[in-house]
Amino acid sequence: MAESDALAEFRRTLRGWLAGNVPPPPPFKLPQTFLEVETEAQFRWLQAWQQRLYDAGYVGFDVPEEYGGRGIDPARQAIVAEELIEARAPFLVNFIALHWAGPTILLFGTEAQKRRLLRPLLRADEIWCQGFSEPGAGSDLASLQARAVQQADGSWRVTGHKVWTTVAHFARWMILLARTEEGVNKYASLSYFLCPMEAPGVSVQPLVKLNGEGGFNQVLFDDAPMPADALLGERGQGWNIAMATLMFERGAAERGGKERAAAFFAQLGALVAVAERTPLGAGTVAEDPVFRQRVAALWVEGQAIALSAMRASATALNAERPLALPLMSKLVASEWAQRLAELACEMLGPEAALSLEDPAAPFGGEWPRAFMNSFGMTIGGGTSQILRNILGERVLGLPKSK
Amino acid sequence: MQPRSPLPLLPLPPADFGYSEAHAQIQASARRWLAEHASAAELRRLETDPVGYAPSTLPALAELGWLELGCPADGAMDHLSVALLAEEQGRRLLPSPWASTIVAAALLAQAGTPEQRERWLPPLVAGQATLSVAFQEPRGVWHPEQLRSRAVRQGDGWQLTGSKLAVAWGQRADALLLPTRSAEGLELFVVERGALEVVAEATIDSTRRSARLGFTGLELTERERLEPSAAGAALGGALRLARLLLAAELVGVSEAVLALTRDYACLREQFGKPIGAFQAVKHPLVDVLTELELSRSLVLSAALACGGPDEAGADTLVAMARWHSAEGALRAVQHGVQLHGGYGFTKDCDVHFYFKRALASRGLLGTNVELGAELARRLFGGS
């Protein structure tokens, strides 16, 4: 369907702005996604990009203007997402804030919380991290042990241990899930906090990922104070709010199908480029019949995933099983991206063993790095195994596994 | 980041996937009729029936409007409706030459002479005649350029020699459409069944019968020849439609097996609980679900593209739909048998019908390896 004139004009203007404003690559290695921002230099560079994009008026089409957004406008939101991919612009470093914390605050926050927090979140002036998982509470999230105790003056003190905390080392705020209630079941005893990270008693320690990169952390709370208004929603409502956040995180809430399609095109195009540029025998990988079959299979599967993301909003067509497409999108997309990175490594043969540090590494060593990083997506935000449980129980109506 | 190669741009569906109230009604009425008339008991009864489908089926489908949708008077087929019906038919494995007949009708409508169209299309839309296109030849040949069946000019007429196999419902069809090659190129003929040597194949899938055809020095006249100028495009279109219908049907097969196996996993108890509570059972069922939903997106997009201007794009999407649904259906029926356990290994369990359909459909009109090679050529060029 044709875009309205106003939207087409918006897209043209944005495209022109991006052509003049997407920065050239910095002199240092950039992370592939928000999951692996390691150094101060990387962070500042990426923060400056989000600030510039915000100041130009292109961030926050899902936030009303009174909170610093551009007003709710899904069409423009989708156009920005597509054009950023198309222009190969850097990712937005405050990803957790934009996609998980922000929508949750908008849904459950008080007027004061929304006024205080959303604008600096959109502009990346204040970075957000997420404190859900713990060493003993991963897939079984509701068994978490961090505890927040309310004081006589209404403020809180929190003690506990959070892990896999992406960008905690740059974060000003954390969305924190902690136990507050006694004598009720494990779900009803949780509360959801907007926790300031600079409080005394909060310490951030880096974790090193399997590929040697940093970017995520563990966070220790030792009787750390939080003000009374750190509570989001009601006491004991934490599990429900956390589920809303996880829905946002898994992209179950409306995410543009065209955005998914654009990401798919970029990834598959990169794979095709590897095949065409990687020598094999007298020719290239792209001439090898077995590799061609495997690329064709990924093409079909990726096309199906992109089309399914579009179909998710054709609600009349999905009446028989309305939850299937939203609940499966993260599962199938993350596993597809993992297979794609694996195949690229396979194409590189022995040179897939070369790391970022070796100047001879093909494609700068990005593919083994991408393959290792792909597990962040199949584990984070609900492992593939947990998502299969959810689909089996909520969509197929199979009996619970626990 | 990586340098990027341009990918072929494929036609994208509209936001609502073109799905209207009328489509919802077609689907609902098909489902109602099938629930009443197509059952596993009927499939069992027909297993030993020499014809393989009930004589009342085609007239009933004609009354429901299935044949008119598949063979529209103005030639403008709504591929989405037809794909939705094919999926419903696949869910129940309704034995009927509906799909093979509408493919033949599309070919005849596009390349038939006025006399041929007049002779065959009206009875066909009324459910009183069936046709079938003999696409497939021995040695895995189906591509129009590679056909080995020959047509040679003989005075005013033609002489045909060749053989065909896996011709859907060929043993009952009133006439067969024969793609052949002559010195000039592709030639299509419409031939009444009695003129050919027709042998019913003994197939594993009793719900869709097929035949082998032989013809040696078969004398035909110009009256049986379709318009040569339209032959190539018409055969290409028929091939595309046949693949689309196969793909849609296979999504229906996956749906049916998923429903059967899901129900069984909720009922069957071991170790004191329904086996569906075990993740070793639950997760494969979810994989069947996700694969079939992905297949469905391809099938619907392919159907929408078939009515559009970009024929190469439509061909690619149809090939993708056919590839993906065949993979998914084969996986679905394997899990279906396995997860039903010992019961799944018997003919008492309905899954075997679907297993056979998935296996029998897989090699038709190009194996997945051929389709993979075809798709790779669009991505990379070359052979």
Side-chain angles (χ1 to χ4, degrees):
Chain A
M1 276 186 303
E3 262 166 21
S4 74
D5 289 350
L7 289 181
E9 177 57 31
F10 175 79
R11 191 187 285 276
R12 259 195 307 279
T13 313
L14 168 60
R15 209 171 270 188
W17 186 87
L18 287 170
N21 285 276
V22 170
F28 46 84
K29 174 191 79 168
L30 266 187
Q32 285 173 322
T33 71
F34 75 98
L35 294 168
E36 47 275 335
V37 183
E38 224 170 334
T39 66
E40 185 76 19
Q42 290 174 332
F43 171 67
R44 292 288 163 219
W45 191 91
L46 288 162
Q47 185 187 35
W49 164 243
Q50 186 170 336
Q51 289 170 337
R52 188 195 286 192
L53 193 69
Y54 176 87
D55 293 341
Y58 293 119
V59 181
F61 285 105
D62 52 354
V63 175
E65 288 180 52
E66 60 266 36
Y67 307 129
R70 310 292 307 176
I72 308 288
D73 189 341
R76 282 182 172 73
Q77 181 86 344
I79 289 173
V80 173
E82 288 157 36
E83 292 299 321
L84 287 176
I85 292 167
E86 190 58 34
R88 327 201 90 205
F91 60 86
L92 299 183
V93 69
N94 213 9
F95 189 94
I96 293 170
L98 290 172
H99 297 294
W100 314 346
T104 308
I105 293 169
L106 201 56
L107 208 53
F108 295 96
T110 62
E111 186 63 21
Q113 285 168 329
K114 290 189 265 193
R115 287 198 182 277
R116 163 65 186 85
L117 298 170
L118 290 174
R119 187 180 181 281
L121 171 160
L122 293 171
R123 198 174 178 269
D125 294 335
E126 295 180 348
I127 303 298
W128 286 75
C129 64
Q130 181 192 43
F132 285 11
S133 296
E134 297 182 2
S139 289
D140 182 11
L141 180 60
S143 70
L144 61 86
Q145 295 301 318
R147 188 166 295 274
V149 180
Q150 194 155 31
Q151 310 298 301
D153 64 355
S155 72
W156 299 85
R157 294 221 163 230
V158 55
T159 297
H161 183 179
K162 295 290 177 181
V163 282
W164 327 132
T165 326
T166 300
V167 300
H169 49 316
F170 300 115
R172 168 79 173 72
W173 299 97
M174 170 189 275
I175 43 176
L176 168 70
L177 206 52
R179 201 163 294 286
T180 55
E181 313 303 310
E182 302 289 344
V184 285
N185 75 44
K186 64 179 180 179
Y187 300 103
S189 61
L190 298 174
S191 296
Y192 196 115
F193 294 96
L194 310 174
C195 171
M197 292 290 284
E198 82 269 18
V202 179
S203 58
V204 177
Q205 298 167 359
L207 291 171
V208 180
K209 292 189 296 185
L210 78 169
N211 62 359
E213 285 182 311
F216 73 157
N217 309 274
Q218 46 187 344
V219 181
L220 298 164
F221 296 88
D222 179 13
D223 207 28
M226 294 188 291
D229 66 1
L231 181 69
L232 183 69
E234 307 289 329
R235 279 179 75 142
Q237 202 192 353
W239 182 254
N240 292 335
I241 304 178
M243 287 305 102
T245 302
L246 288 175
M247 287 290 273
F248 291 125
E249 177 169 354
R250 290 166 193 157
E254 295 289 290
R255 281 285 284 293
K258 281 190 179 169
E259 182 186 348
R260 182 60 54 72
F264 146 74
F265 270 104
Q267 285 173 284
L268 196 83
L271 181 75
V272 169
V274 174
E276 287 173 339
R277 287 154 207 233
T278 302
L280 181 69
T284 67
V285 164
E287 294 156 53
D288 180 83
V290 176
F291 275 118
R292 286 166 75 96
Q293 290 282 332
R294 292 183 63 184
V295 175
L298 272 171
W299 185 26
V300 177
E301 289 157 357
Q303 185 77 29
I305 291 169
L307 289 169
S308 295
M310 299 179 69
R311 182 160 70 88
S313 50
T315 42
L317 196 47
N318 309 322
E320 201 178 339
R321 203 180 272 142
L323 282 179
L325 292 177
L327 289 177
M328 68 187 250
S329 67
K330 184 237 166 191
L331 171 69
V332 296
S334 63
E335 292 192 343
W336 178 79
Q338 194 161 81
R339 288 198 299 278
L340 186 138
E342 179 192 337
L343 180 55
C345 290
E346 183 81 18
M347 290 174 177
L348 299 177
E351 291 182 292
L354 298 179
S355 76
L356 298 175
E357 281 76 42
D358 193 317
F363 306 98
E366 290 289 328
W367 284 106
R369 182 193 192 196
F371 185 33
M372 287 188 263
N373 276 334
S374 72
F375 289 83
M377 299 308 291
T378 53
I379 294 170
T383 61
S384 294
Q385 286 67 33
I386 285 294
L387 293 175
R388 284 191 172 84
N389 280 353
I390 292 173
L391 282 157
E393 289 160 22
R394 292 192 51 192
V395 178
L396 295 179
L398 291 167
K400 283 202 169 281
S401 284
K402 58 188 160 205
Chain B
M1 270 305 280
Q2 314 296 332
R4 191 198 308 178
S5 267
L7 296 181
L9 278 178
L10 299 179
L12 287 179
D16 62 357
F17 272 59
Y19 186 78
S20 67
E21 188 50 40
H23 290 112
Q25 278 173 15
I26 288 169
Q27 224 174 359
S29 91
R31 217 166 270 185
R32 269 196 309 277
W33 188 86
L34 286 164
E36 220 172 292
H37 295 88
S39 64
E42 177 71 354
L43 292 183
R44 293 204 159 78
R45 188 186 72 74
L46 289 169
E47 264 187 297
T48 51
D49 184 87
V51 176
Y53 62 92
S56 56
T57 299
L58 268 186
L61 294 184
E63 194 141 316
L64 284 167
W66 287 38
L67 284 157
E68 213 176 332
L69 278 169
C71 183
D74 62 358
M77 182 184 290
D78 176 34
H79 290 79
L80 184 58
S81 295
V82 173
L84 291 170
L85 290 178
E87 181 189 329
E88 295 303 324
Q89 193 191 26
R91 288 191 193 207
R92 295 274 175 167
L93 293 184
L94 173 75
S96 98
W98 171 72
S100 48
T101 294
I102 67 168
V103 169
L107 183 56
L108 207 58
Q110 201 179 339
T113 63
E115 186 194 335
Q116 290 162 348
R117 295 203 304 265
E118 187 53 37
R119 163 79 181 82
W120 290 110
L121 294 182
L124 187 152
V125 174
Q128 284 154 4
T130 69
L131 300 181
S132 187
V133 184
F135 288 110
Q136 202 88 38
E137 295 190 350
R139 309 172 74 97
V141 171
W142 55 269
H143 196 284
E145 308 270 306
Q146 291 160 4
L147 296 173
R148 288 158 170 253
S149 295
R150 286 285 168 265
V152 181
R153 267 191 199 279
Q154 196 82 340
D156 287 347
W158 293 84
Q159 212 178 53
L160 265 60
T161 300
S163 55
K164 303 282 183 177
L165 50 77
V167 182
W169 299 105
Q171 63 274 46
R172 301 294 304 178
D174 295 282
L176 285 309
L177 285 156
L178 303 180
T180 62
R181 296 202 68 84
S182 72
E184 284 121 89
L186 183 68
E187 303 285 352
L188 303 175
F189 295 90
V190 55
V191 183
E192 294 197 27
R193 190 181 75 234
L196 299 162
E197 186 193 322
V198 179
V199 180
E201 293 176 332
T203 55
I204 54 169
D205 177 11
S206 63
T207 68
R208 186 180 56 215
R209 309 287 175 88
S210 56
R212 270 187 288 274
L213 313 180
F215 38 98
T216 308
L218 174 66
E219 308 271 353
L220 296 176
T221 68
E222 199 61 30
R223 289 180 63 195
E224 281 131 332
R225 183 188 187 211
L226 278 67
E227 300 283 4
S229 59
L235 187 59
L239 202 55
R240 193 184 311 134
L241 177 62
R243 280 179 167 181
L244 176 70
L245 293 173
L246 267 178
E249 223 171 77
L250 286 167
V251 171
V253 164
S254 291
E255 277 284 5
V257 171
L258 178 62
L260 285 171
T261 315
R262 177 254 171 230
D263 289 351
Y264 186 73
C266 289
L267 282 177
R268 167 76 174 169
E269 293 197 4
Q270 288 288 277
F271 305 102
K273 49 181 160 180
I275 59 170
F278 296 105
Q279 291 169 333
V281 172
K282 181 177 288 174
H283 289 189
L285 284 175
V286 169
D287 291 338
V288 173
L289 166 74
T290 57
E291 288 304 301
L292 84 83
E293 288 292 353
L294 293 173
S295 292
R296 175 173 290 127
S297 298
L298 287 169
V299 166
L300 297 174
S301 305
L304 291 161
C306 279
D310 177 2
E311 280 200 10
D315 275 337
T316 302
L317 277 174
V318 167
M320 285 180 157
R322 162 65 178 71
W323 185 96
H324 198 276
S325 60
E327 283 304 301
L330 196 67
R331 227 49 75 213
V333 297
Q334 283 175 276
H335 287 313
V337 170
Q338 180 71 26
L339 297 177
H340 274 84
Y343 175 50
F345 193 56
T346 69
K347 273 191 90 174
D348 293 337
C349 177
D350 295 344
V351 172
H352 78 91
F353 288 113
Y354 295 95
F355 189 99
K356 292 164 182 171
R357 174 63 69 87
L359 185 56
S361 294
R362 198 174 158 77
L364 292 175
L365 307 177
T367 63
N368 269 15
V369 171
E370 288 174 280
L371 290 171
E374 188 180 316
L375 291 166
R377 273 194 298 280
R378 280 223 70 190
L379 266 187
F380 295 115
S383 58

